[in-house]
Amino acid sequence: MLKIAVLVSGGGTNLQAVIDAVESGKLTGTQIVLVLSNKPDAYALTRAKEHGIPSVCIRKKDYDTPADYDRAMIDAIRESGADLVVLAGFLVVLSETFVQAFARRIINIHPSLIPSFCGDGFYGLKVHEAALSRGVKVTGATVHFVDSGTDTGPIIMQKAVEVREGDTPEILQRRVMEEAEWKLLPAVIQGIADGEIPIGN
Ligand code: GAR
């Protein structure tokens, strides 16, 4: 059984896609053991509670030093027994210490075809605003391993999505979620649970 900890900051629709996939039996051999948010009012926490998944809120500002914050994050995930850390709209930059603690065992979903529209400052709607202002005709989503850079780790899976005339950032974001993100994330987790996508020890 692959045990996963899902890290969130907001609405948690990607978390919901994983919950639905597990509960419907489409995603097998996987258990969500923890939902961890940096925001106490993240709706993702409500989703976790509704589905009986242990959840916790850990905020950087509640710790005296960055090292104390890292320790709290690492301890919470280790105590959950998670084998894999899934960043699903987690909008906090992770430290080198954290990344090292779970080397090649952290994946992230990003709402563009990396290397386009990624890196510092590209998150959420901003990604889609940038894609529309550049005038790309195709965008999409990427799931990748997390290394110490921002969106620089090895790419695992990508899915393209058409940009349409008249798209707003909100409309494009929704299409990228529906056609790419909510399918990609469960698909990658299935690949890891099945041992087809190797993760770190
Ligand atoms: C998703 O579109 C995710 O790809 C993006 O934030 C959104 C979270 O939505 N992540 C990033 O931009 C990371 N750089 P959700 O909370 O509804 O899953």
Side-chain angles (χ1 to χ4, degrees), residues 10-15 88-89 91 108-111 122-124 127 151 173 177 181:
T13 65
N14 279 286
L15 166 68
L91 303 179
N108 178 48
I109 184 143
H110 182 77
F122 286 99
Y123 57 88
V127 177
D151 302 327
Q173 178 182 52
M177 284 175 159
E181 296 190 55

Side-chain angles (χ1 to χ4, degrees), residues 38 47 74 95 123-124 133 158 174 178 183 197 201:
N38 65 311
R47 295 182 194 270
I74 293 168
S95 72
Y123 57 88
S133 43
Q158 294 186 300
R174 181 76 191 181
E178 282 177 358
K183 295 177 181 166
I197 301 166
N201 299 314

Side-chain angles (χ1 to χ4, degrees), residues 16-166:
Q16 189 68 53
V18 178
I19 293 172
D20 291 347
V22 169
E23 290 186 352
S24 68
K26 281 188 197 139
L27 173 53
T28 57
T30 302
Q31 185 189 357
I32 307 172
V33 292
L34 180 68
V35 170
L36 188 160
S37 173
N38 65 311
K39 296 241 170 79
D41 55 351
Y43 187 65
L45 287 172
T46 305
R47 295 182 194 270
K49 286 188 187 92
E50 282 172 358
H51 292 268
I53 301 165
S55 60
V56 64
C57 176
I58 299 182
R59 295 186 295 187
K60 216 171 199 164
K61 66 175 186 185
D62 292 336
Y63 295 87
D64 290 339
T65 66
D68 290 344
Y69 169 69
D70 280 341
R71 188 80 270 144
M73 293 282 288
I74 293 168
D75 286 351
I77 293 167
R78 290 220 171 112
E79 280 162 23
S80 76
D83 311 298
L84 180 73
V85 178
V86 177
L87 308 185
F90 187 63
L91 303 179
V92 178
V93 176
L94 299 170
S95 72
E96 181 72 35
T97 307
F98 184 91
V99 172
Q100 291 296 328
F102 302 104
R104 218 181 162 86
R105 283 195 288 140
I106 311 171
I107 62 171
N108 178 48
I109 184 143
H110 182 77
S112 75
L113 294 174
I114 289 175
S116 291
F117 313 117
C118 66
D120 290 339
F122 286 99
Y123 57 88
L125 266 185
K126 289 179 193 291
V127 177
H128 304 292
E129 284 163 9
L132 288 175
S133 43
R134 185 63 186 83
V136 293
K137 303 299 176 204
V138 176
T139 184
T142 302
V143 177
H144 63 93
F145 283 111
V146 172
D147 65 9
S148 50
T150 305
D151 302 327
T152 52
I155 291 170
I156 304 170
M157 212 181 273
Q158 294 186 300
K159 196 167 190 300
V161 173
E162 182 194 12
V163 179
R164 296 193 195 140
E165 201 65 40

